[in-house]
């Protein structure tokens, strides 16, 4: 088996497990993750609490499961919104060409130069920290990325004879974009989205860790990490578990994205080797 | 001398080459002609020991009394370094764009022949002159992109000749070139084979180019040689229905008769996996009999050094089918 | 016979990247003052090698790009002076077939979709009966509408591309190296198909190729291009029987099957 296939399989496995756990948590968790208990604080792993309890006596496994939904949802919305806007911009740039293309791509460059964290802090300062502001910030960093990917891939499709044949048939730029270009760059976009998913999960964790994302009582891996930080000597496992979750999620989507890219375009795989 | 006997190449169930037999004597120029999927390029690769890994080869292949039927990679590498050379359709692909073409040509001279740098340079210059490259001194220092398509193909020919091979395999060497450049390349290949006593295997889909270059022609279809013989005889008096069809389907400029419908071979070239088990051409043949699709035709001798693999050859020879 | 396409003194230049800082490169003249006409139901062959400007000429006739000088008149209308809307309305009248049958069909679209594209773009209804009839006209089956390009061989794909080009019943067909990528046996089928369609529909054809033999098999008139300049033009029979230029002669030699050695006819 090639390394590519291994990447793809490990990635797919992690993503599937993670998604399954998130779905499961919507209908069932071992305990209510908001349930506090003064008597059950800092319990180690036991039959009752598989991963023990935290400083407030909440069941850690339930917290991690509930948090996984937030992580995935944030990533999904942020990448979806940012990706859609970015793709639309990239396709417009590619279809119009000329000064429109230049203008859009310079704007995208500007977006690249703007650190996401700074944007998130700005939003938090202006409108107060919240999960929706974190989503907005993550969506924002995705716009220029997808604009670039979409435009690059679309420019290639525009050179194909079947697009020229469409022009000969009398199709407008818009219908050529929707009917030929978009479907034929979808593979590239899906690959990019998967990779950006990993980045988004990491960004959500980072923002929540800094208190700019999910607010209590909403569970979040990043905030769990933050809260566990002060208790490192007392209960290191409280930091390790959410940390492992973040690693697994980021690694899973990252490997899946890499694997998908290698499968969809062998040339890129060789270029990276 | 090349001797091929009952050579077959399989990819799983599909037979890419089926019982190919041919002999090539020093200085002989063989043209392999056929359409896509005929196996002509596969045969070229087999003669170079460069078949894809998944290919299973059977039969005998001897080059200069050296049996290479089950030869190891190392043996083939030795062979390719010394005796067999190959040129391809797209010369730009075969040249390293970041190296001066002179350095590219000097590499095998130094590596395989152990020449010193100045000797290798002198030899490269001679090769450039022999292959008709103008201003060879200057061209040695140029990069592939600075040369025209025809010049690049000449550089590749010079590179192929570097170690004085006994056999040159040219796979569609003129297809990517303009007509007037292609003419000069075929002339060059013919001259080189003649002057050096080198065997030339000229692979092409272009009957005109093969007619110009080769002495012997092997017409291939569906992985088999369906007809073989001296090029003039085969092309002026074809015996196999496929050869006939191919020649007739070719638009010709005879002058006078313009805008006439071309006689055509019906159907499409089938994919490897869809070939009929018997005669490969059955299903498209104009003189097919019911048993053709199921039975392999024998290779009949049809006078002199000619052969033809068709069930109906005896009748054709009797003149019953004109 | 009425003139369908009138190309008048068309010139197209492309700027070349400058090699030195203070010296502008002279532009590349891809097509240099070419004038030629196609009458209804006739075929004009344009022969030339790479860089001759033959494809640039085709792109101008298809209004993919505009000439720097001269004009292209389709039934008396300068197609480069039309508004976008007017051009779109005229498109069904002149269609094109491309060289690479693997590249000219969107791999993600069914045959029926591709063939109906010109109808949709013209705002007409894509009548399934018309699509079926057109597919049969080019030697395919009506049932092929739901299949995808990768399920067809090169020759069959070129038939699909031809079906797409004739579905609007155009008056002019531009074929740019339309048979160059095909096998010899399949090439004859496609050339015959084009001739049949021409008789049936009274098509004017602009047939572009590097291969003089192919061009001569179906063209009434001939234009030989080299480096953007017309080398020779006139009736195909006249030029092929008595080429008036050394270059045409070379092309003829390359295209002829000349037998040598024993037994040569």
């Amino acid at each position: 088996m090639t390394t590519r296939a291994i990447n793809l399989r490990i990635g797919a496995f992690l993503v599937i497990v993670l998604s399954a756990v998130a779905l499961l948590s919507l209908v069932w968790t071992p305990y209510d993750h908001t349930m506090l208990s003064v008597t059950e604080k800092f319990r180690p792993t036991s039959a009752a609490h598989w991963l023990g309890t935290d400083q407030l006596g909440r069941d850690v496994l339930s917290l991690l499961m509930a948090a996984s939904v937030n992580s995935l949802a944030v990533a999904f919305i942020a990448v979806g919104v940012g990706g859609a806007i970015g793709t639309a911009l990239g396709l417009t740039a590619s279809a119009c060409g000329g000064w429109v293309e230049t203008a859009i791509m310079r704007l995208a460059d500007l977006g690249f130069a703007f650190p996401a964290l700074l944007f998130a802090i700005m939003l938090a300062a202006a409108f107060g920290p919240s999960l929706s502001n974190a989503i907005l910030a993550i969506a924002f960093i995705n716009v220029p990325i997808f604009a670039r990917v979409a435009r690059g891939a679309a420019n290639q499709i525009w050179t194909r004879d079947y697009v020229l044949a469409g022009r000969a048939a009398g199709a407008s730029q818009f219908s050529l974009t929707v009917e030929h270009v978009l479907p034929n760059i979808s593979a590239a976009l899906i690959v990019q989205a998967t990779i950006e998913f990993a980045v988004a999960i990491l960004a959500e964790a980072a923002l929540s860790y800094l208190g700019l994302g999910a607010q209590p009582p909403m569970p979040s891996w990043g905030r769990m990490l933050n809260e566990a930080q002060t208790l490192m000597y007392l209960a290191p496992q409280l930091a390790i578990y959410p940390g492992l979750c973040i690693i697994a999620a980021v690694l899973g989507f990252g490997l899946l994205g890499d694997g998908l890219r290698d499968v969809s375009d062998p040339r890129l795989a060789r270029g990276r080797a | 001398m090349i001797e091929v006997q009952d050579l077959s190449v399989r990819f799983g169930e599909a037979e890419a080459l089926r019982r190919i037999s041919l002999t090539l004597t020093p200085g002989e120029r063989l043209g392999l002609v056929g359409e896509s999927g005929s196996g002509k390029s596969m045969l070229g690769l087999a003669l170079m020991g460069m078949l894809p890994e998944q290919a299973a080869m059977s039969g005998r292949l001897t080059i200069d009394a050296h049996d290479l039927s089950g030869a190891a990679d190392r043996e083939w590498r030795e062979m390719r370094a010394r005796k067999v050379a190959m040129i391809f359709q797209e010369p730009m692909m075969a040249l390293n764009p970041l190296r001066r073409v002179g350095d590219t040509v000097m590499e095998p001279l130094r590596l395989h022949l152990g020449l010193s740098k100045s000797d290798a340079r002198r030899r490269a210059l001679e090769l450039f002159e022999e292959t008709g490259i103008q201003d060879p001194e200057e061209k040695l220092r140029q990069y592939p992109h600075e040369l025209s398509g025809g010049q690049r193909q000449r550089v590749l020919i010079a590179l192929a000749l570097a170690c004085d091979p006994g056999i040159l395999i040219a796979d569609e060497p003129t297809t990517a070139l303009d007509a007037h450049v292609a003419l000069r390349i075929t002339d060059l290949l013919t001259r080189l084979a003649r002057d050096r006593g080198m065997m030339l295997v000229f692979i092409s889909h272009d009957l005109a180019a093969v007619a110009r270059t080769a002495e012997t022609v092997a017409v291939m279809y569906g992985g088999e040689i369906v007809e073989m013989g001296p090029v003039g005889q085969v092309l002026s008096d074809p015996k196999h229905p496929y050869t006939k069809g191919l020649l007739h389907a070719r638009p010709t400029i005879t002058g006078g008769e313009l805008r006439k419908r071309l006689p055509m071979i019906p159907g499409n070239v089938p994919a490897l996996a869809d070939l009929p088990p018997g005669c490969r051409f059955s299903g498209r043949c104009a003189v097919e009999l019911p048993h053709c699709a199921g039975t392999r035709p024998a290779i009949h001798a049809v006078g002199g050094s000619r052969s033809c693999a068709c069930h109906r050859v005896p009748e054709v020879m009797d003149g019953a089918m004109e | 016979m009425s003139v369908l396409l009138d190309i008048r003194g068309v010139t197209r230049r492309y700027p070349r990247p400058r090699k030195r800082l203070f010296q502008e490169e002279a532009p590349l003249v891809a097509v240099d003052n070419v004038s030629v006409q196609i009458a209804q139901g006739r075929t004009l062959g344009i022969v030339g090698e790479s860089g001759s400007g033959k494809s640039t000429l085709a792109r101008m006739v298809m209004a993919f790009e505009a000439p720097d000088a001269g004009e292209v008149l389709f039934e008396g209308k300068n197609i480069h002076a039309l508004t976008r809307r007017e051009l779109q309305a005229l498109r069904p009248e002149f269609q094109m077939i491309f060289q690479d049958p693997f590249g000219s069909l969107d791999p993600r679209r069914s045959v029926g979709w591709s063939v109906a594209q010109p109808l949709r773009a013209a705002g007409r209804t894509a009548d399934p009966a018309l699509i079926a009839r057109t597919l049969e006209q080019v030697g395919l089956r009506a049932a092929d509408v739901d299949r995808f390009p990768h399920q067809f061989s090169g020759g069959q794909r070129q038939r699909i591309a031809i079906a797409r080009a004739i579905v609007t019943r155009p008056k002019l067909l531009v074929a740019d190296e339309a048979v160059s990528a095909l096998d010899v046996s399949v090439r004859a089928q496609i050339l015959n198909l084009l001739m049949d369609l021409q008789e049936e529909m009274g098509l004017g054809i602009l047939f572009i190729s590097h291969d003089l033999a192919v061009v001569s098999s179906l063209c009434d008139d001939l234009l030989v291009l080299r480096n953007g300049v017309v080398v020779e033009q006139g009736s195909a029979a006249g030029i092929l029987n008595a080429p008036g230029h050394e270059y045409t002669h070379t092309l003829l030699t390359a295209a002829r099957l000349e037998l040598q050695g024993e037994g040569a006819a």
Side-chain angles (χ1 to χ4, degrees), chain A residues 119-194:
Chain A
F119 188 67
I121 292 171
M122 242 170 61
L123 282 177
F127 306 108
S130 75
L131 194 60
S132 49
N133 285 344
I135 293 174
L136 206 60
I138 299 168
F140 177 78
I141 54 170
N142 273 294
V143 172
I145 295 173
F146 278 86
R148 259 192 200 180
V149 170
R151 178 239 184 191
N155 278 353
Q156 273 183 20
I157 301 298
W158 277 103
T159 65
R160 302 282 160 87
D161 274 353
Y162 57 78
V163 178
L164 207 56
R167 271 180 79 186
S172 64
Q173 299 291 92
F174 180 76
S175 61
L176 289 176
T177 299
V178 174
E179 290 171 349
H180 291 300
V181 179
L182 186 57
N184 280 291
I185 67 168
S186 59
L189 292 176
I190 288 169
V191 167
Q192 194 64 37
T194 314

Side-chain angles (χ1 to χ4, degrees), chain A residues 160-173 176 178-181 183-187, chain C residues 59 62-64 88 91 94-96 98 100 103-109 113 117-118 120-121 164:
Chain A
R160 302 282 160 87
D161 274 353
Y162 57 78
V163 178
L164 207 56
R167 271 180 79 186
S172 64
Q173 299 291 92
L176 289 176
V178 174
E179 290 171 349
H180 291 300
V181 179
N184 280 291
I185 67 168
S186 59
Chain C
R59 293 174 59 84
M62 289 307 295
F64 293 152
Q88 211 159 329
R91 285 245 182 239
F94 57 103
Q95 289 286 312
M96 183 166 181
F98 299 83
D100 179 11
S104 68
L105 296 168
D106 190 333
R108 291 169 176 271
R109 297 292 179 181
W113 190 95
Q117 190 179 32
R120 278 193 311 272
R164 174 177 57 192

Side-chain angles (χ1 to χ4, degrees), chain A residues 33-34 54 59 65 69 80 86 103 135 138 143-144 148 169 188 195 220-221 230 232 258-259 261:
Chain A
H33 66 84
T34 54
D54 71 355
D59 180 56
M65 285 174 69
V69 179
I135 293 174
I138 299 168
V143 172
R148 259 192 200 180
I195 293 169
S220 151
W221 293 335
T230 50
M232 272 300 277
D258 271 9
R261 169 168 57 193

